[in-house]
Amino acid sequence: MTAEKVTEDLSPSPNRLREQRGWYFYDWANSAFPTTVLTVFLGPYLTTIAETAAAGRPYVDVLWFDVRPSAYYSFVVGFSAILQIFLMPVAGALADHTGRKREIMGLFAYLGAGATVCFWFLSGDRYLLGGALFVMASVSFSAAFVVYNSFLPEIAAPDERDRVSAMGWGFGYLGGGLLLAVHLGLFLYHDAFHVAEGDAVRLALASAGLWWGGFTVIPMLRLRNRRALARGSESVGRAVTGTFRQLGRTIVELRRYPLSLAFLVAYLIYNDGVQTVISFSATYADKELGLSQTVRIGAILMVQFVAFGGALLLGRLAASYGAKRVVLGALVAWTGVVAVAYFLPKGAALPFFALGFAIAIVMGGTQALSRSLFSHVIPAGKEAEYYSLYEISDKGSTFLGSFTLGLALQLTDSYRLGIVSLVIFFVVGFVLLAAVNLPRAIRAAGNQVPERL
């Protein structure tokens, strides 16, 4: 592709604006899964299904292993995260090699949406079905999201990518929050609709899949592929193998930038804690605190909208005090949040809402500022390769936290000890990040050190 062609592709035009608007709607569509399914409904419901299957016994059978019903969901999340780590690079390789990004994104999106719709059949003692559907849906979600992100450089010029990306982010919060509000109404007034409570939960889960699949039609119609597989080029299998080789070379090359590697390791650890707290919060509120589904959904709905404001607030603080200091402060806050969660009284909704508000403030800012900090410590021209590692860590690294939590529950059968075990991720992440000499890391990568860091 020539330089003139690139200029033509990225110049303002009605077609490109139409693509951007279509791109926004995939964030609107898929946000139903992390909000309704992952964060609110599935954890407590699948745990209840496993408890029903146990029928008073301390364990259920999972592939010839005895697993406590309380630990089942955490282990399923961890197993799914491992699969995501391996599948996301494959999805990216197929999309880049074939040039059929739209079709591959659609394939994974509809696999995930279809699995989510099938949660309607999750009832009785079908805990294994629930685990299998979750693995399929979550892995497909991550694979589709990798391809979705790869459209951004094609539909937006460099100086407008921040705006386009932020708009997609905002659409995601809005879409996920709106659907969650509908589900809250469904659950609150399920008697008025002559629907049982369990059926209301299954309707919420299945309708999240319908929302995801239905609105995915918009980006499928508006996004377009830029190129196709050239004749005589390497096979798709070799392209996938080559992608793993390139990923290995990138990891090896990281040794030339030990401080950049140290930052990435620190992020891997504390982000593991962040993601595990988010995914476990609804289960903890249900099984340990005994809070109603209404309280849990209301808290998550609040978090949806407060988190965006928290990201903006921490961004402003970073402009005054430096991003590293703000992230370190956020990690102290995360440590406090987990410690306070241990002491929350049973049945008290107000303290849980207050804790959810604190999580929302630090959640968006921790992730947004970590992403911007990482951009300073990677060498120019290697952004895509290094951000592939970052994306894997962001989307698939929760297996450490999930298995740590699952192990704590397996050994102690205590939700409180399980949640407090996550403190280690924030403490270790804080120590590692504090030890990184970011100015030196930035200069080693060949970049200019910003005035405030």
Side-chain angles (χ1 to χ4, degrees), residues 66 71 192:
D66 288 334

Side-chain angles (χ1 to χ4, degrees), residues 122-153:
L122 182 58
S123 60
D125 60 355
R126 299 173 178 172
Y127 66 98
L128 292 176
L129 173 65
L133 288 174
F134 173 76
V135 169
M136 182 177 180
S138 60
V139 170
S140 298
F141 173 86
S142 296
F145 201 75
V146 167
V147 184
Y148 164 74
N149 284 338
S150 73
F151 273 103
L152 181 58

Side-chain angles (χ1 to χ4, degrees), residues 24 74 86 132 147 222 231 251 271 305 307 327 340 356 377 396 413:
Y24 301 152
S74 293
F86 287 99
V147 184
R222 294 192 174 186
R231 293 183 178 178
I251 295 173
N271 184 61
F305 299 103
V327 172
V340 170
V377 300
D413 199 26

